[in-house]
Amino acid sequence: MNTTLVTFVVLYLMGTLAIGVWAGTRIKNTSDFAIAGRSLPLIMVVTTTFATWFGAETVMGIPAKFVQGGLSSVVEDPFGAGTCLILVGLFFATRLYKLNLLTIGDFYRRRYGKGVEVFCSVAIILSYLGWVAAQITALGLVFSVLTNGAMSETAGMIVGTLAVLIYVVVGGFLAVAWTDFIQMIVLVIGLSIIAFFAADLAGGPSQVFAMVSNANLWNFLPPPTFTDIAFFIAAGLTMMLGSIPQQDVFQRVMSAKNAPTARSGAVIGGASYILFAFVPMFIVACAIVVMGSAALDLAKNDYQRLLPTFVMTRMPLVMQILFFGALLSAIKSTSSATLLAPSTSFVENILRNLRPGMSDRQQLLAMRCTIVVFAALVLGYAVGMKGTPIYDLVSAAYQVTLVGAFIPLLMGLYWKRATTQGAILSLVAGVGVWILFFPQITSWGTHFPGQLAGLIAAFIGMLLGSLVPQMLENHQEFPRPVKIVSA
């Protein structure tokens, strides 16, 4: 175990805790805690939206997927995920910001009523299980690697969860925004320096790009068959659209000081994420050139360890410190936001319906308590799912919101004729069809992606549920004149 490296990591963790304590002194109400009082400038909106997606899977999952299957295997993330933020900025940020809501669930209540609010909020909360579990799993792996196995992955998960939990509970989204700002600076600088060093180890960028070209890793489009194209489209849409009705994305939009800042911050953050996600891909490609078959074996059998192993075995201490600082920045920035988001939704959109007389102070306390409970549940889920690839945990998380919550949000904002009946039928049809495609139920999912079938069903359900009752009402209100035939 490298004592110097561990010491730097501990000091870094203590620094983020100190920021959380400082932010906690500025929290006065639930608006401060949940959306930073709608006060953030553009630079902080950019860093915090960028940090929304730049997590464990970006550093360890995406690069390994890339070297195994090329660009076509990472269409979901980073391309779908980054495009999600761009779409939010272009089509959703301004409209949602003007509504002055605390959570995305508030929109469903205002547009469709409490029933749809609760159902969509439950779907959104459940979707965070896999997302947060992926970050906690990565924290356990990092601490295990750092201590050379002296700390087990399970113990690392517990330590990492506590390190994030404390500053989120104390400082809320204000602490998340400030730590995101600092951690993204560390991440960008750290990974950029490591990329230059890794390229030098590989004999220069030309050697790396030659390997990528020879392995046909630049290929983006799938084979020209109906099934392959359908699964390719579904993979891209899962995070591109399924992540739009998410509380962590919504919080970043609502935390901006005004609507133009919210719009620009999301667009710049999304574009920056897509571009910078190529940096860890490049570093792993360098690892393939330097380590050869050993790297390919790790990518196939235990890809989450490929990048840490490359850094620990081939790079000096300074690079190791930079790498783990950047890696922890990526993981902690994502896990902090994804712990806060579902807890805020639960209190605002579920608990308040059960206890409508809660004061703002009681609501703030409930949010903090809920974060602790949710963190414990996710930690247990992560431990139980140990061994599941990080990328798979993340990619599966957003199918439920894609088929359940996206269409009611989109149509509610852009279609005046959308009704509560339409939203309910959309939810039932989308989730129901998606479940029918589970491999435990039918074999349909092997021929056509269930999330795409659910999305189509949700759209049809919204149209039928909204238009048919209106047509029937109009038919009853204006019956056809009866032709009277004289005797």
Side-chain angles (χ1 to χ4, degrees):
M1 182 171 63
N2 192 317
T3 306
T4 305
L5 178 58
V6 173
T7 301
F8 271 97
V9 169
V10 171
L11 290 174
Y12 182 61
L13 293 175
M14 296 301 293
T16 56
L17 293 179
I19 293 172
V21 173
W22 169 81
T25 62
R26 302 167 65 91
I27 300 298
K28 307 300 181 185
N29 51 46
T30 52
S31 178
D32 291 340
F33 190 81
I35 52 176
R38 292 164 65 98
S39 62
L40 298 185
L42 178 61
I43 184 62
M44 292 189 71
V45 176
V46 170
T47 54
T48 196
T49 50
F50 178 83
T52 305
W53 300 140
F54 214 104
E57 73 292 340
T58 313
V59 180
M60 297 190 290
I62 293 173
K65 283 277 185 179
F66 168 67
V67 296
Q68 291 180 74
L71 288 179
S72 62
S73 64
V74 294
V75 61
E76 189 168 1
D77 192 7
F79 295 105
T83 305
C84 162
L85 294 177
I86 295 173
L87 293 176
V88 167
L90 293 176
F91 301 107
F92 294 87
T94 301
R95 289 176 180 251
L96 289 173
Y97 191 91
K98 291 179 178 178
L99 295 176
N100 194 21
L101 307 172
L102 191 66
T103 68
I104 189 69
D106 290 346
F107 169 81
Y108 294 107
R109 180 181 68 244
R110 184 178 295 186
R111 187 67 173 79
Y112 302 114
K114 289 186 177 181
V116 176
E117 170 200 11
V118 171
F119 187 95
C120 287
S121 297
V122 169
I124 290 167
I125 291 168
L126 290 176
S127 73
Y128 280 99
L129 275 174
W131 182 254
V132 188
Q135 312 311 312
I136 291 175
T137 299
L139 284 171
L141 176 63
V142 168
F143 285 114
S144 177
V145 172
L146 273 173
T147 58
N148 198 25
M151 180 182 290
S152 68
E153 288 191 25
T154 301
M157 290 181 189
I158 297 171
V159 171
T161 302
L162 289 174
V164 175
L165 180 64
I166 293 172
Y167 77 79
V168 176
V169 169
V170 174
F173 190 74
L174 190 60
V176 172
W178 273 104
T179 52
D180 280 354
F181 178 68
I182 294 170
Q183 288 171 164
M184 289 307 98
I185 294 173
V186 173
L187 184 148
V188 169
I189 293 174
L191 286 184
S192 298
I193 294 174
I194 290 169
F196 279 105
F197 191 86
D200 185 63
L201 286 177
S206 59
Q207 297 293 323
V208 180
F209 291 132
M211 183 278 294
V212 171
S213 297
N214 293 335
N216 294 321
L217 298 182
W218 293 128
N219 291 341
F220 182 73
L221 296 176
T225 67
F226 175 80
T227 300
D228 288 321
I229 292 173
F231 276 94
F232 179 81
I233 293 172
L237 293 181
T238 296
M239 289 190 72
M240 186 187 302
L241 303 183
S243 301
I244 290 176
Q246 285 290 349
Q247 178 61 18
D248 58 327
V249 175
F250 178 84
Q251 280 176 313
R252 280 147 173 77
V253 172
M254 292 298 105
S255 67
K257 64 180 181 180
N258 52 44
T261 300
R263 181 181 62 249
S264 300
V267 172
I268 297 171
S272 300
Y273 174 71
I274 294 175
L275 292 174
F276 201 76
F278 279 92
V279 174
M281 286 192 236
F282 176 78
I283 297 172
V284 167
C286 293
I288 299 296
V289 175
V290 174
M291 299 172 64
S293 59
L296 290 173
D297 290 340
L298 272 175
K300 183 183 296 185
N301 301 319
D302 195 4
Y303 71 76
Q304 293 160 178
R305 291 182 178 270
L306 173 55
L307 198 48
T309 300
F310 176 52
V311 173
M312 292 291 286
T313 58
R314 301 301 177 108
M315 295 191 181
L317 177 61
V318 173
M319 294 298 156
Q320 294 174 18
I321 292 172
L322 284 173
F323 172 75
F324 282 102
L327 180 56
L328 284 173
S329 295
I331 298 170
K332 289 167 82 273
S333 63
T334 301
S335 56
S336 60
T338 48
L339 276 178
L340 179 64
S343 305
T344 305
S345 292
F346 173 80
V347 173
E348 172 71 9
N349 303 115
I350 297 177
L351 187 60
R352 278 189 64 185
N353 285 317
L354 300 175
R355 295 186 59 191
M358 292 174 65
S359 66
D360 189 81
R361 191 169 184 175
Q362 289 173 325
Q363 193 175 345
L364 181 58
L365 176 62
M367 285 182 182
R368 284 176 162 143
C369 294
T370 304
I371 292 171
V372 176
V373 174
F374 187 75
L377 291 174
V378 172
L379 177 60
Y381 179 77
V383 172
M385 295 293 288
K386 191 166 64 173
T388 303
I390 291 171
Y391 192 94
D392 293 346
L393 284 171
V394 171
S395 61
Y398 291 108
Q399 292 188 18
V400 63
T401 47
L402 175 68
V403 302
F406 173 70
I407 293 297
L409 174 63
L410 176 69
M411 304 298 275
L413 283 173
Y414 281 97
W415 192 40
K416 293 182 179 180
R417 300 182 69 179
T419 65
T420 300
Q421 296 95 323
I424 292 172
L425 187 57
S426 175
L427 292 167
V428 172
V431 174
V433 170
W434 174 60
I435 291 174
L436 280 177
F437 278 70
F438 282 8
Q440 299 88 341
I441 298 177
T442 68
S443 61
W444 299 346
T446 59
H447 307 290
F448 193 81
Q451 70 268 40
L452 186 55
L455 179 65
I456 295 170
F459 180 71
I460 295 173
M462 173 60 81
L463 293 179
L464 293 178
S466 297
L467 294 178
V468 171
Q470 294 176 27
M471 293 169 61
L472 291 175
E473 286 180 11
N474 293 336
H475 180 75
Q476 292 174 358
E477 194 172 328
F478 304 104
R480 289 184 180 180
V482 179
K483 185 177 182 180
I484 301 175
V485 181
S486 56

